[in-house]
Amino acid sequence: MSSSGNRIFVAGHRGMVGSAIVRALQFNTDSEIIKRTHDALDLTDQAAVKSFFKSERPDQVYLAAARVGGIYANNTFPAEFIYINLMIEANVIHSAFESGVKKLLFLGSSCIYPKAAAQPMTEESLLTGTLEPTNEPYAIAKIAGIKLCESYNRQYGDSHGVDYRSVMPTNLYGPGDNYHPENSHVIPALIRRFHEARVNNLPKVTIWGSGTPRREFLYVDDMAEASVHVMELDKTVYDAHTQTMLSHINVGTGHDLTVAELASKVRRVVGYQGEVEFDREMPDGAPRKLMDSSRINNLGWSASTALEDGLAAAYQDFLKTN
Ligand SMILES: NC(=O)c1ccc[n+]([C@@H]2O[C@H](COP(=O)([O-])OP(=O)(O)OC[C@H]3O[C@@H](n4cnc5c(N)ncnc54)[C@H](OP(=O)(O)O)[C@@H]3O)[C@@H](O)[C@H]2O)c1
């Protein structure tokens, strides 16, 4: 079934990923996109979600709404991170099923994998070890989301045609990112630091850590394209590349680079001429985090935006919004 002509609910359409999914759907299909702001529909409210699905009756759902945040927020609000995410997933997936939705795509995250998972991280490493403690509550909720999809498929796949899939993106960046000075991911944080250093003529930018950890970054519109691709895969193809109880799909570029290499690319895009130094007293985190994306590559999708091009687009977005 393709998306064309469908009524598609994009949950979290004002978020970074949700808004990119809306862009991709508007570009690719003539479907009607159903949207609700957080204020109009709190997805943790079971009765409200039930009534929304009953009246709107979407054909497909992209579940990109979540309570997300960095290490500080995860550590400070662990109850919110597990409760809100479990409620959003349980309410949306169950109400989707009750109202007859056959196709749903759940967005997770690479933090579902064990702290000590072999690199690059394959889908098979799920539930093979203990999680990174700082975001364990969030990761547990995301793992529950995958298992909700699989369990509804197992119980209602044959009888009701239920086909719920999940994708696990690597670190994302691009339009709609959060550029908060203290609570942002590495790319938006570097963009802000280099930009402010340039406009204020600062001689030096100091970056936390040694600059040696390796990380992977995917442009958010590539992620949106991957989401639509996975949603639209023929069921026989999808089934041939996944297992009933190991059905999630990693989405990354397959390439990583050091934080120092990344900083030098961001510096070039922003046009900062000063010095860059690394504060080796600050913690580095894991030495490497890279997804194994061979499953999605074998399913016919690979990332198309070069990091330099994505960073240039992200910087334009920063200039527009800051
Ligand atoms: N950004 C990344 O690097 C990244 C990487 C891997 C995976 N992901 C995954 O992608 C998904 C989306 O992330 P994102 O970066 O797009 O986050 P985001 O920009 O914060 O967007 C999340 C959206 O969900 C909405 N939302 C939160 N709680 C809600 C509720 N109770 N009811 C209704 N709406 C609610 C938010 O609305 P309000 O802002 O109004 O609350 C926001 O629009 C998440 O599942 C995340 O794990 C993101």
Side-chain angles (χ1 to χ4, degrees):
M1 179 169 76
S2 105
S3 294
S4 283
N6 281 311
R7 286 167 53 73
I8 306 177
F9 174 42
V10 179
H13 74 281
R14 291 221 285 209
M16 179 187 182
V17 178
S19 55
I21 290 175
V22 170
R23 286 195 290 279
L25 289 170
Q26 283 169 338
F27 186 73
N28 285 319
T29 71
D30 59 357
S31 300
E32 182 188 344
I33 300 173
I34 306 168
K35 305 169 190 165
R36 287 293 182 280
T37 62
H38 188 163
D39 283 349
L41 176 63
D42 180 350
L43 296 169
T44 64
D45 180 340
Q46 188 178 36
V49 174
K50 211 179 170 90
S51 141
F52 162 79
F53 272 92
K54 212 171 156 192
S55 61
E56 287 297 332
R57 298 214 159 263
D59 301 300
Q60 296 186 0
V61 176
Y62 286 84
L63 181 38
R67 169 81 165 97
V68 304
I71 296 173
Y72 174 79
N74 269 275
N75 253 335
T76 317
F77 311 110
E80 284 178 31
F81 274 80
I82 191 159
Y83 171 77
I84 293 174
N85 287 307
L86 284 172
M87 289 299 283
I88 291 176
E89 295 156 12
N91 288 341
V92 171
I93 292 171
H94 186 66
S95 291
F97 164 68
E98 280 191 328
S99 72
V101 173
K102 299 208 171 24
K103 304 215 60 165
L104 177 145
L105 190 79
F106 170 67
L107 275 284
S109 153
S110 60
C111 70
I112 58 162
Y113 293 119
K115 189 179 171 167
Q119 301 292 323
M121 298 176 286
T122 63
E123 285 86 354
E124 285 76 13
S125 64
L126 183 65
L127 294 172
T128 59
T130 46
L131 298 161
E132 161 63 45
T134 43
N135 56 18
E136 187 198 69
Y138 179 75
I140 293 279
K142 289 293 178 187
I143 295 170
I146 299 172
K147 295 299 163 190
L148 274 162
C149 291
E150 291 176 354
S151 303
Y152 278 71
N153 291 342
R154 288 169 64 206
Q155 189 170 343
Y156 303 118
D158 288 342
S159 57
H160 294 71
V162 163
D163 182 6
Y164 296 171
R165 305 176 181 183
S166 30
V167 281
M168 303 298 125
T170 186
N171 303 303
L172 303 173
Y173 72 98
D177 214 337
N178 164 20
Y179 297 97
H180 190 276
E182 281 104 44
N183 192 19
S184 55
H185 292 133
V186 54
I187 288 185
L190 287 173
I191 289 178
R192 175 177 284 283
R193 301 279 303 285
F194 281 120
H195 173 79
E196 288 177 351
R198 180 172 66 76
V199 297
N200 295 312
N201 284 318
L202 303 182
K204 187 167 73 184
V205 165
T206 306
I207 294 171
W208 280 17
S210 66
T212 58
R214 301 188 71 86
R215 295 288 183 271
E216 178 186 18
F217 301 95
L218 177 68
Y219 189 58
V220 69
D221 286 272
D222 284 359
M223 179 60 213
E225 195 189 77
S227 302
V228 176
H229 182 85
V230 169
M231 178 73 114
E232 293 190 350
L233 281 172
D234 190 84
K235 186 163 173 358
T236 51
V237 176
Y238 176 80
D239 287 350
H241 288 78
T242 56
Q243 290 145 260
T244 315
M245 293 179 72
L246 194 81
S247 67
H248 58 289
I249 299 177
N250 290 345
V251 187
T253 60
H255 306 289
D256 57 0
L257 76 171
T258 67
V259 171
E261 288 163 345
L262 173 71
S264 129
K265 286 184 194 293
V266 176
R267 175 177 181 257
R268 218 171 306 132
V269 161
V270 172
Y272 175 66
Q273 308 281 337
E275 254 181 75
V276 179
E277 76 168 11
F278 291 90
D279 179 355
R280 284 163 219 279
E281 298 298 304
M282 299 311 287
D284 263 346
R288 189 176 194 205
K289 278 199 86 181
L290 175 66
M291 302 271 245
D292 182 321
S293 293
S294 38
R295 190 178 256 193
I296 193 158
N297 296 155
N298 292 335
L299 283 163
W301 180 89
S302 53
S304 58
T305 306
L307 185 55
E308 288 76 6
D309 297 340
L311 290 174
Y315 185 44
Q316 289 310 309
D317 177 60
F318 170 83
L319 291 174
K320 254 192 272 158
T321 51
N322 286 271

